[in-house]
Every structure is written in C-alpha cells, then in structure tokens.
Amino acid sequence: MTRTIARESSADWVLCPGCHVPVYGKRLHRNARVCPECQVHLPLTAEQRLTQLADDGRYELLPIDVTGNDPLRFTDTVPYSVRLDRARRQTGLNEAVLCARAFIGGSPVVMAVMDFRFLGGSLGTAVGELITVAAETALVERTPLLIVTASGGARMQEGALSLMQMAKTSAALGELDRAGILTIALITDPTFGGVAASFATLTDVIVAEPRARLGFAGRRVIEQTIHQQLPPEFQTAEFLLDRGFIDMIVERRRLRLALGRLLRVGAGSRQPTEPEMVDPVIRSHQQLSEQDPWRSVGEARDIQRPTTLDYLSMIFEDFLELHGDRISGECPAVVGGLAWLDDRPVMVIGQQKGHDSTELIRRNFGMPRPAGYRKAARLMRLAEKLGVPVVTLVDTPGAYPGADAEEQGQAVAIAENLRLMAALTIPVVSVVIGEGGSGGALGLAVANQVLIFASAVYSVISPEGCAAIVWKDPARAPEAARALGLDARTLLRLGVVDGVIPEPAGGTGADRLLAADRLGAALRHSLYGLSRLSRAELGVDRRARFRQFGSAVTIEAELRTMSEEAI
Ligand SMILES: [Zn+2]
C-alpha cells in the first residue's frame, strides 16, 4: 500500500490495485482517489483525508506535542528507533495520527485521523495519546469527535504499553458518553486488532467506506488457526453491516454530506416551538363512535396503510437510518435512526412491514427478531445520551416466534427494552399505526404518551390465537376480538392509550398524506407538552403512567367513568 502511494506521486498513471487498469493520476485525484473504473477506494494520507472532509478543505491542527519513543529499546531486524525515524522521514508526520479542529457541513468537529503509511497505523503510546487528547479536547470544548481509523493493530515494538492504549482510549470515549457528546468512527481499510477492539468500535455511530475491512484477528491468522477457508467478503464493511456491527456504508464522495448530517444532530437540539393548531388527538372515548373491533383488526392489517418508512418520509426530514445491534445482527423488521421534526432532531424507531409480498418477506412481516429489539435499545440509549426525544411507531403482528429468535433470547431482548424505556430521561412518544401485537409491540411502546390511530388495534394476543385457545376454534376470532377490547375506543377508556388519532375516510391507506399530517400534528403536540418536564420528571412520569394499571386508584376511576357512561 505504501508503495502504491510512493509510485503514484511521481507518475502520471496509477495502476489500480482493484481492477489493474491504469488510471490517470489527475483523474483519480479529482475522483477523491476512488478508481473510476471499479470504485475501489484507494488509501488516503491523513492530510488528504482532512482536506477531503473539512469544509473548504480547511482545518486547524491541534497543538499537541506528542512524539513516540522507544521504551523497550526494541530491535528486530532493524532497531525500532530506526524504523520510527524512517517512518517520520517518509511520511513527514510525527506519528500515525493527525488531530485537528474543523467544520463539516457547517458543524464543528474534533478529528483524529490515522495514517496507515506510518508503521501500518499501529497503535503505540503516541497514537493512543493523540487519540486520547483529541477526545479530551472534544470533551472540554463540547464538540463531537470523529475518528478516522486505518490500522494493523497494536504496535508490538512498544510491548504491553501499546496494549494499555486500548484501555486508555476506551476510557476517554466513555467520558464522552457520560458528557453526552456525539462520537463517530469512520472505518477505512484496513482496521484491525487493538484499534478495532477499542476506539474504532466504541463510537455512537460507525460509518465505513465500501469494502473496508474491520476485525480483531486478521484473515491469515484465522485461516492458519482454524484451517478453514473464509469467504471472500469476510470482515468487509458489507459483511459487517449484515451482521449488525456497523451503522452504514458511505461512498467516499458522499462522506462529507453524511458526516455533516450526523454532526448537525450532535451540535445540540433546540426546544420545540409551540404548535399553532389545537390538539388534533381525541382524548375522551366518548367522542369516538363505536366500531366493531373485528373490523378494526381487518383495517389495522390492511397493507395499504402507511408504514414506518412512509411516515418517516412524509413527516420527518433528513432521516439517517442507523443499522445493527452491535451484538448479533441487523433486523430489517425494525427501522430506526435520526431524523428532524421541524427544527428538532428526534430518534424515530418503528416496526416495518411493507406494501407487497417482496417487501413483506424481506421485513419478516414486521415481526422483529431479538436483534431488532436490541437495535432499538441501542438507538434509545443514543437518544438518551444526546438528549434527543424518541418517537416509536408500532406496527407488528408480534415478535417473531421462530426457533432462531428463541435461541437468540427473544424474551430477554423484549424484557430489557421494557426496563430501559421505563428509565429513559427523554420524552418518549409511541403511536400504534397498525397492529399492536402483544409483547412484541410493547417492547417499543413504554412511552410518556401512547397514541393510536382510530382503526389500529393493540392486544395481548391475536384474536385468532385467543379463539384457538379459549374456544379451540380459530374461526371464532371475531368474537375474540370483541372480547379482548383491542380497539382504540376501548383502549382509550382503559387508559392503555392516551389519545386516538382520527383516520381519513377509508383508513390511513386511503389518504396517506392526510394521515401523515394528523400523525405529525399529534407528535408535535405531544412532544411540546413533554418538553415542559425536566429529565428526571420524564422518567417519573413514564413509570407512574404504567404503575397505575391494576392499582386500586385506577380501577375506581374506571368504575366512575363507566357509571357516568351508563347515565
Ligand atoms: Zn480499479
């Protein structure tokens, strides 16, 4: 890799390592050093990277005077001190990281950018120190931190001191978590070993360049150890995205845009302005006409109804989808990410169905696996860290009842979400937009405000399931639906939901824009109302909301309403 760069600086033509086609140097440069033929992303120096990412290519290097030395007087074929001198001469750098302040997309950022040319970007004491000082600068200045990684791993010439840098940098990132400061990693090829197992993967958001490899042990080590051939895509960004370890893959020429959008969220959020219109939500069940619950079940399941992604595009702006639970997978039945509602960032999470069989199958009919609930949990923790409200859109027949889901801990994943959501200190609003199927729905719906569309349903079990158990006859589902009280009017009477959003004539699918308008207005009202509570009060409010179900106080209140109704 080092050789490619050296050769290219003196030659007009560069032989692309991807497609082996000669590319004219200036053309490659204009193309951000991405091969125009095969799209391979060639390595960048730290300076090139800073210039490409910073607005107008302008950045200010942090005045940090850190120079690595040779603590062990290590010698292999060549003394380490000689290797260091040589690396400094060849790169013009002091060490394998450059730290700078810059703006990306108009938002301030502290950047630490690794340079693979310098001893393979290895993590020595100086590299660890530079990353840590960059994190500490971000902490003091309350500015988001962006780390661009490229590394073969720990620097063995510095022995165990090199290993200690993993703990030191990880602790520094932990401080940024506690301070609520956004951290982003941009993974470039290759990122391995001690860097992968510390600051590269501890950030709030992990962005990777296409085909960038990220892993702990390298392919050769694994193949030699287990004597097994690995697939060609092993450890690539694409491989890791499917397995839930990174948030997104962004092509180099779109990086500045994507990072700028992320940093804008990290720059802080404003208080919402008071919505102009009156509360668009029906708060009393007496204002709702009665509808056969079985009819509601049919309407709630109509595949013409807008999905989470439909509402995201109609109500919110600038949705930036984040992927993966960082544990076991990426579940397409749950979508989530940062978006803007007016001038305020929100974390939007919802189950995703689809309008045709292809999408329904791809999204597992909106039935999440544990990875879906764990992704939601990760995003809610990020929202909590950044002080961003959470909006969840519920639309699921239930959590996926498959063997694999059980093996991965479906029950645990849902239970942990209930506990997490109860403790959040940010506003949480949940809206049942279609089917609210059992624990799989509640796993996203422990909110300060729970709303439901007029024909949506929310139930402990599907009417078919209930009929099969109680009457041993699934055909008696309509009766079960009536008995379960799963319709919006009954739920509002019971206090399970706080309000009902009226649907356009013919249902939300008949007029998607109108449905989106109403949902948007309901969210604005709810979020504005909650913005008046302190962070501590928000948690107390949410726990009190759920504490009341089944308590004597509620039952009395309910009996009172029922007798009023009778009159
Ligand atoms: Zn190429």
Side-chain angles (χ1 to χ4, degrees):
M1 219 164 281
T2 315
R3 277 199 306 277
T4 319
I5 291 164
R7 212 170 38 221
E8 170 196 330
S9 56
S10 56
D12 286 344
W13 294 88
V14 182
L15 198 63
C16 168
C19 60
H20 306 289
V21 168
V23 185
Y24 190 51
K26 278 186 183 160
R27 189 171 171 222
L28 190 64
H29 179 76
R30 273 199 309 273
N31 210 35
R33 297 185 46 75
V34 175
C35 172
E37 305 298 328
C38 73
Q39 307 305 316
V40 150
H41 285 49
L42 275 78
L44 295 182
T45 69
E47 279 174 338
Q48 287 170 332
R49 179 71 68 180
L50 281 163
T51 309
Q52 279 191 11
L53 290 181
D55 290 351
D56 306 318
R58 288 169 56 187
Y59 56 89
E60 176 204 343
L61 289 175
L62 296 185
I64 319 171
D65 189 19
V66 173
T67 304
N69 53 19
D70 184 8
L72 301 177
R73 302 189 192 291
F74 188 97
T75 300
D76 50 289
T77 50
V78 181
Y80 174 45
S81 56
V82 175
R83 282 189 197 279
L84 269 176
D85 287 343
R86 204 182 285 164
R88 288 188 180 123
R89 266 200 317 280
Q90 282 172 351
T91 60
L93 299 173
N94 235 350
E95 258 300 341
V97 186
L98 278 183
C99 301
R101 285 188 196 91
F103 286 85
I104 300 179
S107 297
V109 62
V110 173
M111 293 168 76
V113 181
M114 302 189 75
D115 195 316
F116 195 78
R117 295 172 306 156
F118 196 103
L119 300 178
S122 53
L123 175 60
T125 49
V127 169
E129 188 64 18
L130 287 160
I131 299 283
T132 305
V133 172
E136 288 166 351
T137 305
L139 183 66
V140 171
E141 298 178 0
R142 298 201 61 83
T143 303
L145 175 71
L146 167 64
I147 307 175
V148 184
T149 64
S151 174
R155 193 175 292 177
M156 60 183 171
Q157 292 92 341
E158 294 187 20
L161 288 176
S162 154
L163 197 60
M164 297 304 112
Q165 304 311 311
M166 295 168 65
K168 181 169 99 182
T169 52
S170 300
L173 282 174
E175 292 299 312
L176 291 175
D177 287 341
R178 273 182 287 284
I181 293 166
L182 177 70
T183 57
I184 306 169
L186 169 59
I187 307 296
T188 75
D189 189 66
T191 296
F192 278 103
V195 167
S198 62
F199 55 87
T201 49
L202 284 179
T203 53
D204 297 321
V205 181
I206 303 178
V207 182
E209 286 197 324
R211 307 289 302 165
R213 290 163 302 158
L214 167 73
F216 187 58
R219 165 186 289 270
R220 225 180 324 150
V221 173
I222 300 169
E223 285 182 337
Q224 280 165 8
T225 314
I226 62 169
H227 305 290
Q228 196 183 324
Q229 278 291 308
L230 298 168
E233 72 280 11
F234 189 69
Q235 291 178 325
T236 60
E238 293 72 10
F239 179 92
L240 297 169
L241 184 67
D242 279 349
R243 284 158 185 78
F245 293 114
I246 63 172
D247 285 286
M248 62 184 89
I249 298 171
V250 181
E251 205 217 324
R252 189 174 286 166
R253 280 157 296 182
R254 303 184 60 81
L255 271 173
R256 191 191 306 196
L257 187 73
L259 293 170
R261 288 172 63 191
L262 271 170
L263 290 169
R264 193 174 147 228
V265 176
S269 96
R270 264 177 276 168
Q271 283 294 307
T273 44
E274 188 170 356
E276 282 168 16
M277 65 291 271
V278 289
D279 188 357
V281 173
I282 295 169
R283 302 283 174 179
S284 158
H285 71 277
Q286 282 140 327
Q287 288 172 277
L288 285 166
S289 53
E290 289 190 48
Q291 171 168 313
D292 178 9
W294 181 242
R295 200 183 125 197
S296 293
V297 170
E299 288 182 19
R301 291 173 180 170
D302 181 0
I303 61 165
Q304 294 311 314
R305 286 177 86 84
T307 63
T308 295
L309 284 175
D310 293 328
Y311 287 122
L312 266 159
S313 66
M314 291 187 287
I315 301 171
F316 301 89
E317 279 169 49
D318 232 6
F319 173 54
L320 205 58
E321 187 171 358
L322 303 175
H323 293 93
D325 67 353
R326 302 252 176 105
I327 301 168
S328 63
E330 158 59 17
C331 172
V334 174
V335 296
L338 292 157
W340 289 75
L341 185 64
D342 308 322
D343 52 359
R344 199 180 192 206
V346 283
M347 185 68 82
V348 186
I349 304 165
Q351 286 107 352
Q352 174 65 24
K353 290 184 177 175
H355 299 300
D356 55 52
S357 55
T358 314
E359 202 193 352
L360 281 165
I361 290 167
R362 194 169 95 71
R363 301 286 183 180
N364 201 29
F365 299 86
M367 293 185 287
R369 289 185 160 81
Y373 292 105
R374 290 181 176 134
K375 169 166 65 178
R378 182 173 81 82
L379 299 187
M380 288 189 273
R381 283 194 297 268
L382 176 56
E384 170 90 1
K385 173 182 164 176
L386 300 176
V388 164
V390 169
V391 169
T392 68
L393 301 180
V394 175
D395 190 14
T396 180
Y400 181 58
D404 59 335
E406 291 298 313
E407 285 167 20
Q408 292 152 17
Q410 186 74 285
V412 178
I414 292 172
E416 289 188 340
N417 273 20
L418 305 182
R419 182 178 56 188
L420 169 71
M421 293 188 82
L424 293 172
T425 63
I426 42 171
V428 183
V429 178
S430 295
V431 184
V432 185
I433 59 172
E435 272 184 289
S438 190
L442 184 62
L444 290 188
V446 183
N448 298 93
Q449 282 276 308
V450 181
L451 307 177
I452 190 168
F453 266 111
S455 291
V457 295
Y458 194 2
S459 178
V460 67
I461 188 170
S462 72
E464 292 85 349
C466 174
I469 292 168
V470 178
W471 289 289
K472 316 269 181 266
D473 181 7
R476 294 176 75 173
E479 257 174 282
R482 280 163 218 139
L484 283 165
L486 45 62
D487 59 295
R489 190 175 191 276
T490 308
L491 293 165
L492 184 57
R493 180 171 62 76
L494 297 174
V496 172
V497 300
D498 303 293
V500 174
I501 308 172
E503 297 199 9
T508 56
D511 190 342
R512 292 182 187 184
L513 284 174
L514 183 57
D517 268 355
R518 290 182 181 171
L519 175 57
L523 291 174
R524 286 181 181 92
H525 261 275
S526 297
L527 289 173
Y528 178 73
L530 293 170
S531 71
R532 283 174 287 188
L533 299 183
S534 71
R535 288 193 74 153
E537 284 169 340
L538 283 161
V540 171
D541 171 72
R542 199 173 316 110
R543 287 188 293 278
R545 184 189 184 282
F546 287 87
R547 173 66 182 82
Q548 60 164 336
F549 297 114
S551 78
V553 183
T554 328
I555 293 164
E556 259 173 48
E558 212 175 284
L559 287 172
R560 220 172 22 245
T561 351
M562 285 171 85
S563 60
E564 277 166 22
E565 224 177 326
I567 301 161

